[in-house]
Amino acid sequence: MDTPIELSGAESITLHLPAQFRYLALARDAALEACQRLQFPEFDCYKVEMAVDEACTHIIEHGYHGEVPPEEELDHPGLTVVFAPHTDHLLIEITDRGDGFDFDTRQETSPDEYVVDGDEQGLGLYIIKRFVDHVEYQQDPQHGNRLRLTKHR
């Protein structure tokens, strides 16, 4: 079992966000903060930030089929992002109640395909899988979808 890192000021960060793009800046800022607390190299911090942004954007666009209107925010489950620092890695867990998908068979688009073919889908998964060290996705009808991203130091 993973034990959170025992450094002063390195406790977990938990965000509960409405399914609106304007709140993703909070998730990006928290990703950078968590990485900086673990003293990740600067470039790795930006890679984690982008992976988190892509994952949250995917949830809003595809899981919830777009932003939730402001008047429905309070009754909508939105998404939860937890940044859990450990001695040798950062674990990020993103949960939502949107439509899930088959992570293992979902096609990703490489940057070359994206540019040449004009594909509009799949680049986000490509980024997520290459910017963190381990990706795990789980659908649970009772507890929602869970995406776990791990980045090692």
Side-chain angles (χ1 to χ4, degrees):
M1 181 172 164
D2 289 333
T3 304
I5 193 168
E6 298 293 331
L7 295 175
S8 175
E11 53 278 333
S12 294
I13 300 169
T14 301
L15 302 173
H16 302 284
L17 302 173
Q20 294 184 350
F21 296 117
R22 65 182 176 176
Y23 292 106
L24 296 187
L26 296 171
R28 291 190 303 270
D29 289 346
L32 287 175
E33 177 66 23
C35 288
Q36 290 167 352
R37 287 182 182 184
L38 284 171
Q39 300 176 343
F40 277 20
E42 185 177 14
F43 188 63
D44 285 350
C45 291
Y46 293 126
K47 287 170 39 178
V48 170
E49 175 193 30
M50 190 167 191
V52 168
D53 186 71
E54 287 292 337
C56 293
T57 297
H58 186 274
I59 291 167
I60 294 170
E61 286 182 351
H62 304 289
Y64 290 131
H65 306 285
E67 291 186 290
V68 173
E71 62 273 9
E72 296 176 23
E73 272 183 39
L74 294 177
D75 297 324
H76 194 274
L79 53 149
T80 300
V81 186
V82 178
F83 299 89
H86 298 266
T87 52
D88 65 343
H89 68 279
L90 175 63
L91 174 64
I92 303 152
E93 185 171 281
I94 305 169
T95 56
D96 69 271
R97 295 277 186 174
D99 293 340
F101 67 102
D102 188 345
F103 184 80
D104 296 325
T105 62
R106 180 69 180 236
Q107 294 295 316
E108 59 184 60
T109 302
S110 74
D112 291 337
E113 292 170 317
Y114 188 80
V115 172
V116 173
D117 298 338
D119 287 343
E120 295 181 14
Q121 303 292 322
L123 189 59
L125 289 176
Y126 179 90
I127 290 168
I128 292 166
K129 289 179 179 180
R130 279 152 186 85
F131 283 13
V132 297
D133 298 318
H134 182 73
V135 180
E136 178 184 333
Y137 178 76
Q138 186 176 37
Q139 282 182 277
D140 182 339
Q142 231 176 3
H143 300 101
N145 307 308
R146 180 175 67 179
L147 180 67
R148 297 181 91 182
L149 310 175
T150 304
K151 184 68 176 174
H152 294 278
R153 279 202 281 170

